[in-house]
Amino acid sequence: MSGIKSRMRLPEIKKMGRKAIFLWAVCMLMLLSGCWDLRYLDKLGVVLAMGVDDDPSGKQKLRLTVQVVLPQNVAAESKGGTGGTPVTTFTETGDTIFEAIRKMSAKTSRRLFFSHTQMLIIGEKMARKGGIIPLVDLIERNPDIRTDISVVVTRGVRAERLLQMTTQMESIPVNQFHEMIDVNQEAYAMNYAVLVKDLTKLTGKGKQQAVLPSFRIVGDKAAGKSVDNVKTIPAEAIPALSTMAVFRDGKLVDYLKPKESRGLAWLQNKVKSTVIKLACPESKGNLIVEVHEASIQYKIKQSKDGMPVVQAKLEVTGSIQEIMCPGIDVMDEQVLNEIEELTSQAVKKEAEETIRKMQKKWRVDALGWGKEVYLQQPEVWKRIEKDWETVFPEVQHEVVCKTKISGSGVRGESIVK
Amino acid sequence: MFRSYMRGKGRGSKKADKRSVKAEKHEEQALGNFTGQPLSVSLQQNIDRINFEVGGSQDIILRRLKLTDAGNTEALVVYIQCMVEEERLNNFVIRPLQRKRFSNESKIQPSEFLEVVKSSLLLTGIVMEINDWKMLFQKLFLGYSIIMIDGAANAIAANVIGGPKRGVEEPKTEMAIRGPREGFTESIRSNSALIRRKIRSPKLWLEQLTIGEISQTPVCMMYIKGLADENVLKDLRERLEAIQIDGILESGYIEELISDQIWSPFPTVMYNERPDVIASNLLEGRIAILVDGTPFVLIVPAVLNMFFQAAEDYYQSFDISTFLRMLRFVSFLIALLMPSIYVAIVHYHQEMIPTQLLLKLAAQREGVPFPAYLEAFIMELVFEILREAVVRMPTAAGNTISIVGGLVIGQSVVEAGIVSPAVVIVVSFTAIASFVSPAYSLGIAARLLRFFLLLAASTLGFYGIGLVVLLLLLHLSNLRSFGMPYIKPFAPLYLKDLRDTLVRAPLWMLRQRPQKLAEKNQVRQQIKTEPRKEPEQ
């Protein structure tokens, strides 16, 4: 052993010592960060939804409600235990959202965590009075909050109350709201999801106005808060989608009627699937056409006086799903052509009704026509940009709809005689 | 004796210490270096010398024989009990010596005796003449029997090697469902024979060295002349010859002493227990190093890619082999990264996981007393302890440990709420993934690096993981194994070689040997053997 020791030179030992010190220093360097930005998962209050209402006392601009998950209860549920509610809410007033959030720390034991927020709910009164655009600035600006969160408005109820509801199908209410919009868009297309990033896009060229899907409560509003609500069949109060709401400069103008709401979806290319009820051509009763695909294309032309003319071309593909009247032979191509024509007319009627309301009643360009003009006829847009609010109601338009019926189910003639 | 004598005397003063160092150097020479010391002509002197050198060890048998009727020419047979096959020794060495009686001894010189014994009497295959003590002891301890004749300057060594030996069994470390079931044994000769039985070519060359000043271990280099790179061979030869160590007990000694870079968790020398794997590597132009006393044969140069290849990859169809290769790569990454990714996500990047998963994880963390990184550290450590406990346990105790480990630690700890189930899942999955790698030595790398990555993840999150991975890549691209870049063929990129990396192309596509290995003889297959197309009708 001593033989080896004697062979090792002093400089070598020094060199190795230096290396060891260097390594030690590198290891210590890691600790210097002090776990900066480290968050403990069990010390986070995961916020799934934010609701903004006006301050009823009027002292401050808004009243913020956040819906926070209680993970221990979510887990207890899956284990079959009877925990408390899966979520809870906190409410605080403030002039801005961020201020309200930070003030909320006086009530929460965990730090609120917004990266998983899925929905922003704006109360009806707030939407009418305060405007929605300033509310999304925080979401857009803050890197911790996603911009693909859905924005909705309430109808006849405060956002706070909606967030405090218990729901049956999903234990976490926000999941229920969120899924409702998607399911509706995919099955009936009366509402469609509008995201924060969609709202921020509106501030660009084109002067498009906002539309938002709206929620209301069906049933006993007061009973909705309690866990007992979900213990009865059916629940005493359930959240339900209403129709799309129209905004002018960020302030709520009105809610559309159901047919108009879908008309808006046609015009905005948001229909994924829906059903169209038609009156049978030769007898009493109805038949249903299920739409699988729908798309719209805008073409902006110029009229002789230099004003834009909007040509909308709708293409719809669907199939006959239900016939409740006698005498329709779906094997006959002539009959199918007739039904195609009827469908086109129905769709066109819905779309035109919406356009008429937008142009004449509210004078609000929520259809994005201004943007289309800007994209397709920039010179025209340059000229009329300033007066778009007055020009829009007078814009000539033409809606063409083409329908293709691709099937009639697995049955031929109707069983109705 | 000598050693303790000097130590005893030298204790105390510094001067004496120095002297003892010198004495030790002298002693080192005495320990095994008999080079150039000729044998004595006198048989009695030789007997005395042997007895002196081995200290009269009783297992060394010195058998005196009389060669003539008169009894004045004596012979001596030296062997070690149980290292020779006694039956062969009796029949082929001692019996012929005793049967033959030289009558007119006065006319025959002792050296002629020796010649007659060597050429016509001994019945063993290998017979060689020995003229110095170094050779004598070397052969003696290999299991030869030494025959000495009074008056002759030389001795004869006859091969009667025998003694305890394990038979050829199925390799324990790398099992195969399809493929040969034979594995190497501890005997170097039977190992080289096993390789020769795979490659029956005169071009399979073998070079033998003896390494270990005291242990005198036979070490063999085997390679295919014309395929193996001459420079690598020369380099390897130099490295092997430079080894000055008292003993080589396992090929691991050689591995560590010839590695290019030992400050690395990654192995730059591969070992294997399967003759078919060694043969396939020889055919690719690599060099095998056999060490007596171990079934593990080394292969150089070794690149990272080789550690993901199993023998079976080439015996079963290429599609499943490709799938399994990718699975192994992925498993390695899981074994390396999964705990650290879990820690990073849970501590720093909660926004990255789907909401439902986040809620589940959060629910599991509820009420757990330790932060996730500590939890992961503890559980990884517990797993390593369990693993180490089971490895060397007798099977009966091993079962108990796995029950205690699996049930008590796996379940009770979670039920008691001391550790969250997610960590247990992550750790156990990581453990399973780390067993996928066919090469145990690469699994070790993942095992060690996992802790560094955990540390980085718990202080810096994904950024830390990124940093460490980057460092690892730097380190890997810096590694060489006998001049071969360690992550060849990925960097530097050799497109043709990629056919046998993440994927295993059909054999008819692997027409060339790996590049930069057998440069003069690249082509493996001459004729196109790709599937024939049916003639169109």
PDB file of all heavy atoms in Angstrom, chain A residues 196-224:
ATOM      1  N   VAL A 196     -61.203  33.131 -24.938  1.00  0.00           N
ATOM      2  CA  VAL A 196     -60.616  34.437 -24.656  1.00  0.00           C
ATOM      3  C   VAL A 196     -59.844  34.950 -25.860  1.00  0.00           C
ATOM      4  O   VAL A 196     -59.922  36.119 -26.228  1.00  0.00           O
ATOM      5  CB  VAL A 196     -59.694  34.347 -23.423  1.00  0.00           C
ATOM      6  CG1 VAL A 196     -58.828  35.586 -23.309  1.00  0.00           C
ATOM      7  CG2 VAL A 196     -60.531  34.191 -22.165  1.00  0.00           C
ATOM      8  N   LYS A 197     -59.132  34.026 -26.510  1.00  0.00           N
ATOM      9  CA  LYS A 197     -58.324  34.486 -27.640  1.00  0.00           C
ATOM     10  C   LYS A 197     -59.203  34.945 -28.799  1.00  0.00           C
ATOM     11  O   LYS A 197     -58.799  35.790 -29.595  1.00  0.00           O
ATOM     12  CB  LYS A 197     -57.334  33.420 -28.070  1.00  0.00           C
ATOM     13  CG  LYS A 197     -57.931  32.107 -28.489  1.00  0.00           C
ATOM     14  CD  LYS A 197     -56.811  31.114 -28.800  1.00  0.00           C
ATOM     15  CE  LYS A 197     -57.407  29.773 -29.188  1.00  0.00           C
ATOM     16  NZ  LYS A 197     -56.436  28.714 -29.200  1.00  0.00           N
ATOM     17  N   ASP A 198     -60.432  34.379 -28.899  1.00  0.00           N
ATOM     18  CA  ASP A 198     -61.349  34.856 -29.926  1.00  0.00           C
ATOM     19  C   ASP A 198     -61.760  36.298 -29.635  1.00  0.00           C
ATOM     20  O   ASP A 198     -61.893  37.114 -30.544  1.00  0.00           O
ATOM     21  CB  ASP A 198     -62.615  33.988 -29.974  1.00  0.00           C
ATOM     22  CG  ASP A 198     -62.305  32.568 -30.400  1.00  0.00           C
ATOM     23  OD1 ASP A 198     -61.313  32.401 -31.142  1.00  0.00           O
ATOM     24  OD2 ASP A 198     -63.033  31.656 -29.994  1.00  0.00           O
ATOM     25  N   LEU A 199     -61.970  36.587 -28.351  1.00  0.00           N
ATOM     26  CA  LEU A 199     -62.373  37.948 -27.973  1.00  0.00           C
ATOM     27  C   LEU A 199     -61.261  38.942 -28.262  1.00  0.00           C
ATOM     28  O   LEU A 199     -61.511  40.042 -28.751  1.00  0.00           O
ATOM     29  CB  LEU A 199     -62.741  38.007 -26.486  1.00  0.00           C
ATOM     30  CG  LEU A 199     -64.065  37.369 -26.088  1.00  0.00           C
ATOM     31  CD1 LEU A 199     -64.301  37.559 -24.604  1.00  0.00           C
ATOM     32  CD2 LEU A 199     -65.218  37.981 -26.885  1.00  0.00           C
ATOM     33  N   THR A 200     -60.027  38.537 -27.959  1.00  0.00           N
ATOM     34  CA  THR A 200     -58.936  39.495 -28.174  1.00  0.00           C
ATOM     35  C   THR A 200     -58.712  39.735 -29.653  1.00  0.00           C
ATOM     36  O   THR A 200     -58.288  40.812 -30.056  1.00  0.00           O
ATOM     37  CB  THR A 200     -57.635  38.998 -27.532  1.00  0.00           C
ATOM     38  OG1 THR A 200     -57.428  37.653 -27.906  1.00  0.00           O
ATOM     39  CG2 THR A 200     -57.673  39.105 -26.042  1.00  0.00           C
ATOM     40  N   LYS A 201     -59.047  38.749 -30.469  1.00  0.00           N
ATOM     41  CA  LYS A 201     -58.897  38.944 -31.912  1.00  0.00           C
ATOM     42  C   LYS A 201     -59.850  40.027 -32.428  1.00  0.00           C
ATOM     43  O   LYS A 201     -59.574  40.665 -33.440  1.00  0.00           O
ATOM     44  CB  LYS A 201     -59.192  37.630 -32.648  1.00  0.00           C
ATOM     45  CG  LYS A 201     -57.973  36.744 -32.808  1.00  0.00           C
ATOM     46  CD  LYS A 201     -58.353  35.513 -33.613  1.00  0.00           C
ATOM     47  CE  LYS A 201     -57.511  34.341 -33.205  1.00  0.00           C
ATOM     48  NZ  LYS A 201     -58.181  33.079 -33.497  1.00  0.00           N
ATOM     49  N   LEU A 202     -60.974  40.200 -31.757  1.00  0.00           N
ATOM     50  CA  LEU A 202     -61.971  41.161 -32.217  1.00  0.00           C
ATOM     51  C   LEU A 202     -61.429  42.581 -32.225  1.00  0.00           C
ATOM     52  O   LEU A 202     -61.903  43.431 -32.958  1.00  0.00           O
ATOM     53  CB  LEU A 202     -63.214  41.120 -31.326  1.00  0.00           C
ATOM     54  CG  LEU A 202     -63.921  39.782 -31.221  1.00  0.00           C
ATOM     55  CD1 LEU A 202     -65.133  39.910 -30.342  1.00  0.00           C
ATOM     56  CD2 LEU A 202     -64.307  39.286 -32.591  1.00  0.00           C
ATOM     57  N   THR A 203     -60.442  42.814 -31.378  1.00  0.00           N
ATOM     58  CA  THR A 203     -59.938  44.189 -31.286  1.00  0.00           C
ATOM     59  C   THR A 203     -59.095  44.559 -32.492  1.00  0.00           C
ATOM     60  O   THR A 203     -58.710  45.706 -32.639  1.00  0.00           O
ATOM     61  CB  THR A 203     -59.094  44.355 -30.008  1.00  0.00           C
ATOM     62  OG1 THR A 203     -58.113  43.330 -30.006  1.00  0.00           O
ATOM     63  CG2 THR A 203     -59.944  44.244 -28.773  1.00  0.00           C
ATOM     64  N   GLY A 204     -58.851  43.589 -33.358  1.00  0.00           N
ATOM     65  CA  GLY A 204     -58.069  43.892 -34.554  1.00  0.00           C
ATOM     66  C   GLY A 204     -58.914  44.570 -35.610  1.00  0.00           C
ATOM     67  O   GLY A 204     -60.007  45.084 -35.339  1.00  0.00           O
ATOM     68  N   LYS A 205     -58.407  44.556 -36.831  1.00  0.00           N
ATOM     69  CA  LYS A 205     -59.136  45.194 -37.929  1.00  0.00           C
ATOM     70  C   LYS A 205     -60.461  44.506 -38.186  1.00  0.00           C
ATOM     71  O   LYS A 205     -60.597  43.304 -37.997  1.00  0.00           O
ATOM     72  CB  LYS A 205     -58.285  45.103 -39.210  1.00  0.00           C
ATOM     73  CG  LYS A 205     -57.066  45.995 -39.189  1.00  0.00           C
ATOM     74  CD  LYS A 205     -57.405  47.343 -39.759  1.00  0.00           C
ATOM     75  CE  LYS A 205     -56.121  48.193 -39.795  1.00  0.00           C
ATOM     76  NZ  LYS A 205     -56.418  49.587 -40.016  1.00  0.00           N
ATOM     77  N   GLY A 206     -61.424  45.234 -38.619  1.00  0.00           N
ATOM     78  CA  GLY A 206     -62.668  44.627 -39.039  1.00  0.00           C
ATOM     79  C   GLY A 206     -63.858  44.988 -38.178  1.00  0.00           C
ATOM     80  O   GLY A 206     -64.992  44.814 -38.561  1.00  0.00           O
ATOM     81  N   LYS A 207     -63.570  45.520 -36.973  1.00  0.00           N
ATOM     82  CA  LYS A 207     -64.644  45.995 -36.100  1.00  0.00           C
ATOM     83  C   LYS A 207     -65.747  44.978 -35.872  1.00  0.00           C
ATOM     84  O   LYS A 207     -66.926  45.297 -35.919  1.00  0.00           O
ATOM     85  CB  LYS A 207     -65.257  47.281 -36.683  1.00  0.00           C
ATOM     86  CG  LYS A 207     -64.244  48.408 -36.756  1.00  0.00           C
ATOM     87  CD  LYS A 207     -64.947  49.707 -36.987  1.00  0.00           C
ATOM     88  CE  LYS A 207     -63.999  50.872 -36.770  1.00  0.00           C
ATOM     89  NZ  LYS A 207     -64.640  52.146 -37.059  1.00  0.00           N
ATOM     90  N   GLN A 208     -65.310  43.725 -35.667  1.00  0.00           N
ATOM     91  CA  GLN A 208     -66.319  42.711 -35.382  1.00  0.00           C
ATOM     92  C   GLN A 208     -66.767  42.829 -33.940  1.00  0.00           C
ATOM     93  O   GLN A 208     -65.965  43.154 -33.061  1.00  0.00           O
ATOM     94  CB  GLN A 208     -65.729  41.321 -35.657  1.00  0.00           C
ATOM     95  CG  GLN A 208     -66.767  40.216 -35.580  1.00  0.00           C
ATOM     96  CD  GLN A 208     -66.187  38.853 -35.903  1.00  0.00           C
ATOM     97  OE1 GLN A 208     -65.021  38.729 -36.261  1.00  0.00           O
ATOM     98  NE2 GLN A 208     -66.997  37.832 -35.808  1.00  0.00           N
ATOM     99  N   GLN A 209     -68.043  42.571 -33.702  1.00  0.00           N
ATOM    100  CA  GLN A 209     -68.562  42.641 -32.348  1.00  0.00           C
ATOM    101  C   GLN A 209     -68.636  41.253 -31.730  1.00  0.00           C
ATOM    102  O   GLN A 209     -68.696  40.254 -32.441  1.00  0.00           O
ATOM    103  CB  GLN A 209     -69.946  43.290 -32.355  1.00  0.00           C
ATOM    104  CG  GLN A 209     -69.941  44.715 -32.869  1.00  0.00           C
ATOM    105  CD  GLN A 209     -69.157  45.672 -31.989  1.00  0.00           C
ATOM    106  OE1 GLN A 209     -68.903  45.399 -30.818  1.00  0.00           O
ATOM    107  NE2 GLN A 209     -68.765  46.810 -32.552  1.00  0.00           N
ATOM    108  N   ALA A 210     -68.629  41.238 -30.413  1.00  0.00           N
ATOM    109  CA  ALA A 210     -68.559  39.957 -29.718  1.00  0.00           C
ATOM    110  C   ALA A 210     -69.915  39.287 -29.599  1.00  0.00           C
ATOM    111  O   ALA A 210     -70.949  39.946 -29.529  1.00  0.00           O
ATOM    112  CB  ALA A 210     -67.974  40.157 -28.331  1.00  0.00           C
ATOM    113  N   VAL A 211     -69.889  37.968 -29.589  1.00  0.00           N
ATOM    114  CA  VAL A 211     -71.056  37.184 -29.185  1.00  0.00           C
ATOM    115  C   VAL A 211     -70.569  36.161 -28.176  1.00  0.00           C
ATOM    116  O   VAL A 211     -69.433  35.711 -28.248  1.00  0.00           O
ATOM    117  CB  VAL A 211     -71.712  36.451 -30.380  1.00  0.00           C
ATOM    118  CG1 VAL A 211     -72.483  37.400 -31.249  1.00  0.00           C
ATOM    119  CG2 VAL A 211     -70.669  35.706 -31.196  1.00  0.00           C
ATOM    120  N   LEU A 212     -71.406  35.815 -27.224  1.00  0.00           N
ATOM    121  CA  LEU A 212     -71.018  34.820 -26.232  1.00  0.00           C
ATOM    122  C   LEU A 212     -72.179  33.875 -25.991  1.00  0.00           C
ATOM    123  O   LEU A 212     -73.339  34.289 -26.061  1.00  0.00           O
ATOM    124  CB  LEU A 212     -70.646  35.499 -24.907  1.00  0.00           C
ATOM    125  CG  LEU A 212     -69.370  36.327 -24.833  1.00  0.00           C
ATOM    126  CD1 LEU A 212     -69.242  36.910 -23.438  1.00  0.00           C
ATOM    127  CD2 LEU A 212     -68.162  35.497 -25.176  1.00  0.00           C
ATOM    128  N   PRO A 213     -71.894  32.624 -25.703  1.00  0.00           N
ATOM    129  CA  PRO A 213     -72.986  31.736 -25.304  1.00  0.00           C
ATOM    130  C   PRO A 213     -73.476  32.121 -23.916  1.00  0.00           C
ATOM    131  O   PRO A 213     -72.720  32.706 -23.135  1.00  0.00           O
ATOM    132  CB  PRO A 213     -72.333  30.351 -25.300  1.00  0.00           C
ATOM    133  CG  PRO A 213     -70.885  30.610 -25.130  1.00  0.00           C
ATOM    134  CD  PRO A 213     -70.604  31.936 -25.752  1.00  0.00           C
ATOM    135  N   SER A 214     -74.698  31.819 -23.608  1.00  0.00           N
ATOM    136  CA  SER A 214     -75.215  32.234 -22.300  1.00  0.00           C
ATOM    137  C   SER A 214     -75.791  31.058 -21.525  1.00  0.00           C
ATOM    138  O   SER A 214     -76.251  30.070 -22.105  1.00  0.00           O
ATOM    139  CB  SER A 214     -76.282  33.313 -22.483  1.00  0.00           C
ATOM    140  OG  SER A 214     -77.388  32.785 -23.156  1.00  0.00           O
ATOM    141  N   PHE A 215     -75.700  31.172 -20.220  1.00  0.00           N
ATOM    142  CA  PHE A 215     -76.200  30.141 -19.310  1.00  0.00           C
ATOM    143  C   PHE A 215     -77.335  30.692 -18.461  1.00  0.00           C
ATOM    144  O   PHE A 215     -77.316  31.859 -18.076  1.00  0.00           O
ATOM    145  CB  PHE A 215     -75.079  29.696 -18.361  1.00  0.00           C
ATOM    146  CG  PHE A 215     -74.272  28.564 -18.903  1.00  0.00           C
ATOM    147  CD1 PHE A 215     -73.084  28.794 -19.568  1.00  0.00           C
ATOM    148  CD2 PHE A 215     -74.712  27.258 -18.749  1.00  0.00           C
ATOM    149  CE1 PHE A 215     -72.336  27.750 -20.067  1.00  0.00           C
ATOM    150  CE2 PHE A 215     -73.959  26.202 -19.244  1.00  0.00           C
ATOM    151  CZ  PHE A 215     -72.774  26.451 -19.906  1.00  0.00           C
ATOM    152  N   ARG A 216     -78.294  29.832 -18.166  1.00  0.00           N
ATOM    153  CA  ARG A 216     -79.316  30.224 -17.208  1.00  0.00           C
ATOM    154  C   ARG A 216     -79.531  29.046 -16.257  1.00  0.00           C
ATOM    155  O   ARG A 216     -78.939  27.975 -16.443  1.00  0.00           O
ATOM    156  CB  ARG A 216     -80.622  30.595 -17.911  1.00  0.00           C
ATOM    157  CG  ARG A 216     -81.208  29.457 -18.696  1.00  0.00           C
ATOM    158  CD  ARG A 216     -82.179  29.990 -19.758  1.00  0.00           C
ATOM    159  NE  ARG A 216     -82.534  28.910 -20.663  1.00  0.00           N
ATOM    160  CZ  ARG A 216     -83.570  28.105 -20.497  1.00  0.00           C
ATOM    161  NH1 ARG A 216     -84.372  28.267 -19.454  1.00  0.00           N
ATOM    162  NH2 ARG A 216     -83.828  27.142 -21.351  1.00  0.00           N
ATOM    163  N   ILE A 217     -80.331  29.274 -15.242  1.00  0.00           N
ATOM    164  CA  ILE A 217     -80.621  28.183 -14.320  1.00  0.00           C
ATOM    165  C   ILE A 217     -82.077  27.803 -14.483  1.00  0.00           C
ATOM    166  O   ILE A 217     -82.971  28.652 -14.462  1.00  0.00           O
ATOM    167  CB  ILE A 217     -80.342  28.595 -12.859  1.00  0.00           C
ATOM    168  CG1 ILE A 217     -78.836  28.781 -12.673  1.00  0.00           C
ATOM    169  CG2 ILE A 217     -80.862  27.538 -11.891  1.00  0.00           C
ATOM    170  CD1 ILE A 217     -78.443  29.266 -11.306  1.00  0.00           C
ATOM    171  N   VAL A 218     -82.337  26.512 -14.675  1.00  0.00           N
ATOM    172  CA  VAL A 218     -83.709  26.031 -14.794  1.00  0.00           C
ATOM    173  C   VAL A 218     -84.078  25.407 -13.452  1.00  0.00           C
ATOM    174  O   VAL A 218     -83.350  24.550 -12.959  1.00  0.00           O
ATOM    175  CB  VAL A 218     -83.816  24.987 -15.926  1.00  0.00           C
ATOM    176  CG1 VAL A 218     -85.229  24.441 -16.002  1.00  0.00           C
ATOM    177  CG2 VAL A 218     -83.390  25.595 -17.248  1.00  0.00           C
ATOM    178  N   GLY A 219     -85.171  25.838 -12.879  1.00  0.00           N
ATOM    179  CA  GLY A 219     -85.606  25.266 -11.604  1.00  0.00           C
ATOM    180  C   GLY A 219     -85.426  26.259 -10.471  1.00  0.00           C
ATOM    181  O   GLY A 219     -85.242  27.455 -10.678  1.00  0.00           O
ATOM    182  N   ASP A 220     -85.427  25.731  -9.277  1.00  0.00           N
ATOM    183  CA  ASP A 220     -85.379  26.552  -8.072  1.00  0.00           C
ATOM    184  C   ASP A 220     -83.966  27.072  -7.862  1.00  0.00           C
ATOM    185  O   ASP A 220     -83.069  26.324  -7.482  1.00  0.00           O
ATOM    186  CB  ASP A 220     -85.828  25.698  -6.875  1.00  0.00           C
ATOM    187  CG  ASP A 220     -85.863  26.506  -5.595  1.00  0.00           C
ATOM    188  OD1 ASP A 220     -85.590  27.738  -5.672  1.00  0.00           O
ATOM    189  OD2 ASP A 220     -86.145  25.913  -4.544  1.00  0.00           O
ATOM    190  N   LYS A 221     -83.782  28.360  -8.111  1.00  0.00           N
ATOM    191  CA  LYS A 221     -82.429  28.910  -8.056  1.00  0.00           C
ATOM    192  C   LYS A 221     -81.802  28.790  -6.677  1.00  0.00           C
ATOM    193  O   LYS A 221     -80.622  28.529  -6.524  1.00  0.00           O
ATOM    194  CB  LYS A 221     -82.448  30.377  -8.477  1.00  0.00           C
ATOM    195  CG  LYS A 221     -82.559  30.524  -9.978  1.00  0.00           C
ATOM    196  CD  LYS A 221     -82.752  31.965 -10.372  1.00  0.00           C
ATOM    197  CE  LYS A 221     -83.256  32.036 -11.800  1.00  0.00           C
ATOM    198  NZ  LYS A 221     -83.792  33.319 -12.167  1.00  0.00           N
ATOM    199  N   ALA A 222     -82.632  28.963  -5.665  1.00  0.00           N
ATOM    200  CA  ALA A 222     -82.101  28.952  -4.302  1.00  0.00           C
ATOM    201  C   ALA A 222     -81.660  27.553  -3.906  1.00  0.00           C
ATOM    202  O   ALA A 222     -80.708  27.376  -3.148  1.00  0.00           O
ATOM    203  CB  ALA A 222     -83.146  29.472  -3.328  1.00  0.00           C
ATOM    204  N   ALA A 223     -82.332  26.529  -4.433  1.00  0.00           N
ATOM    205  CA  ALA A 223     -82.028  25.161  -4.031  1.00  0.00           C
ATOM    206  C   ALA A 223     -80.731  24.654  -4.667  1.00  0.00           C
ATOM    207  O   ALA A 223     -80.155  23.675  -4.213  1.00  0.00           O
ATOM    208  CB  ALA A 223     -83.170  24.222  -4.416  1.00  0.00           C
ATOM    209  N   GLY A 224     -80.291  25.322  -5.711  1.00  0.00           N
ATOM    210  CA  GLY A 224     -79.140  24.836  -6.477  1.00  0.00           C
ATOM    211  C   GLY A 224     -77.847  24.728  -5.691  1.00  0.00           C
ATOM    212  O   GLY A 224     -76.970  23.946  -6.026  1.00  0.00           O
TER     213      GLY A 224
END
